[in-house]
Amino acid sequence: MGKQMRIGVLTGGGDCPGLNAVIRAVVRKGIKAHGWEIVGFRNGWQGPIENLTKPIGLTDVEDILTRGGTILGSSRTNPYKVDGGVDRIREVLAENQVDALIAIGGEDTLGVAKRLTDDGIGVVGVPKTIDNDLGATDYTFGFDTAVHIATEAIDRLRTTAESHHRALVVEVMGRHAGWIALHSGLAGGANVILVPERPFNVDKVVEWVERRFEREFAPIIVVAEGAMPEGGAEVLHSGERDAFGHVRLGGVGQWLAEEIADRTGKESRAAILGHIQRGGTPTAYDRVLATRFGLHAVDAVAAGDFGTMVALRGTDIVRVKLSEATAELKTVPTERYEEAEVFFGA
């Protein structure tokens, strides 16, 4: 047993499958290996600002491994956009005698973690995003589950597309990175995959669709929500921005389905998967990865290695600086996309 400590843990940003597996691993190792007390902060960074706490013991994590979402709740709160937010976090941590924080989240949550570390608050990060767009880690938990859900949806939609001889456009999540679209499109045998990293030519898409119809098969087009036509812009679901400056995207699938119908004269439908991709039971891969991340986050806290994030490199879990992890988004490289193009229109 090491020094008696009280460790805070929170989950920020969009929910995703595997969050509870991280919490479970942190609690079990923190208590059993170190004798620590674990304090859950509810609703992301809102928790340590407003003193929303939830003590977590072994019994609280007994049956959460398979549950999606997060038992702590989440939000897109940005302490640096709240007057006195950072000072309030210091006060709440001192009031609860919390020695360090483990923050589980994506680009925005870990960006806050990096700034808090710079401001003298000890934080260790755990990478979470279904988009798989965090730098410095090969994969994030939640991504495998989202791809599995999207692939199953494509498989199901294919049967109805073939029955009715119509084109089906499947819109998946991916604001700036097309990893879900690329992986689910490849796994589902899509005939066209469109990602935010490469503006698409509508005429070319129509050509691929018509080629598929000529062979008397129904085309399946997978498009990331952030994909945009050449010379065009993202399709906004709403112009409102969250605390991190993000607008809500959505609707490119419906727009593209209508374009295909107008240009080909063929029936076309859009299916927007949306938050279905975030929900439900995590895959075995995500449960294992999330658990390993949680165990190694505890090790980082025990070593006093703050300002770091646990990351997957190959099959190993390593620590990287939060500054490296949040420096830039990990997007789909050109060569990975070009690997998939051989299947377009086939």
Side-chain angles (χ1 to χ4, degrees), residues 69-94:
T70 164
I71 62 169
L72 292 177
S74 189
S75 74
R76 297 190 185 276
T77 303
N78 184 349
Y80 288 91
K81 293 292 180 68
V82 176
D83 287 341
V86 176
D87 290 336
R88 181 60 183 150
I89 287 177
R90 293 185 203 278
E91 294 169 6
V92 169
L93 294 182

Side-chain angles (χ1 to χ4, degrees), residues 156-203:
R156 291 176 181 274
L157 289 166
R158 181 179 298 282
T159 60
T160 187
E162 295 287 1
S163 296
H164 293 276
H165 314 292
R166 61 170 60 127
L168 253 167
V169 180
V170 185
E171 181 182 313
V172 300
M173 284 185 166
R175 175 184 296 274
H176 301 298
W179 291 107
I180 293 176
L182 180 67
H183 281 237
S184 65
L186 280 171
N191 309 110
V192 182
I193 301 170
L194 305 174
V195 297
E197 291 86 345
R198 179 179 293 198
F200 60 89
N201 183 298
V202 180
D203 292 334

Side-chain angles (χ1 to χ4, degrees), residues 36-239:
W36 296 344
E37 292 181 48
I38 311 297
V39 178
F41 285 99
R42 294 170 47 224
N43 304 336
W45 291 114
Q46 183 183 355
I49 293 175
E50 300 182 10
N51 199 14
L52 307 175
T53 62
K54 177 180 180 179
I56 314 176
L58 293 174
T59 55
D60 297 304
V61 299
E62 183 64 33
D63 61 350
I64 68 171
L65 177 64
T66 62
R67 286 169 57 182
T70 164
I71 62 169
L72 292 177
S74 189
S75 74
R76 297 190 185 276
T77 303
N78 184 349
Y80 288 91
K81 293 292 180 68
V82 176
D83 287 341
V86 176
D87 290 336
R88 181 60 183 150
I89 287 177
R90 293 185 203 278
E91 294 169 6
V92 169
L93 294 182
E95 182 181 332
N96 288 278
Q97 299 180 311
V98 170
D99 300 289
L101 278 173
I102 293 176
I104 311 165
E107 169 201 10
D108 297 325
T109 300
L110 297 183
V112 170
K114 192 267 181 190
R115 292 183 67 179
L116 288 176
T117 300
D118 293 343
D119 289 335
I121 297 173
V123 187
V124 168
V126 176
K128 169 246 49 157
T129 167
I130 65 169
D131 291 328
N132 197 43
D133 59 0
L134 262 176
T137 184
D138 290 349
Y139 285 99
T140 53
F141 70 88
F143 173 66
D144 186 71
T145 303
V147 169
H148 181 83
I149 292 168
T151 302
E152 183 180 18
I154 293 167
D155 291 346
R156 291 176 181 274
L157 289 166
R158 181 179 298 282
T159 60
T160 187
E162 295 287 1
S163 296
H164 293 276
H165 314 292
R166 61 170 60 127
L168 253 167
V169 180
V170 185
E171 181 182 313
V172 300
M173 284 185 166
R175 175 184 296 274
H176 301 298
W179 291 107
I180 293 176
L182 180 67
H183 281 237
S184 65
L186 280 171
N191 309 110
V192 182
I193 301 170
L194 305 174
V195 297
E197 291 86 345
R198 179 179 293 198
F200 60 89
N201 183 298
V202 180
D203 292 334
K204 189 64 178 176
V205 172
V206 170
E207 178 188 324
W208 283 323
V209 166
E210 289 180 324
R211 191 186 307 166
R212 181 73 176 168
F213 273 129
E214 286 169 4
R215 298 179 58 227
E216 298 188 352
F217 290 106
I220 300 289
I221 302 94
V222 175
V223 57
E225 63 186 350
M228 64 187 84
E230 292 175 352
E234 299 162 322
V235 179
L236 302 184
H237 183 281
S238 166

Side-chain angles (χ1 to χ4, degrees), residues 277-311:
Q277 295 157 90
R278 288 194 182 280
T281 301
T283 60
Y285 179 88
D286 277 342
R287 295 183 207 182
V288 172
L289 180 58
T291 296
R292 294 183 71 200
F293 277 158
L295 297 176
H296 282 262
V298 169
D299 291 342
V301 171
D305 197 2
F306 302 121
T308 60
M309 180 190 84
V310 292

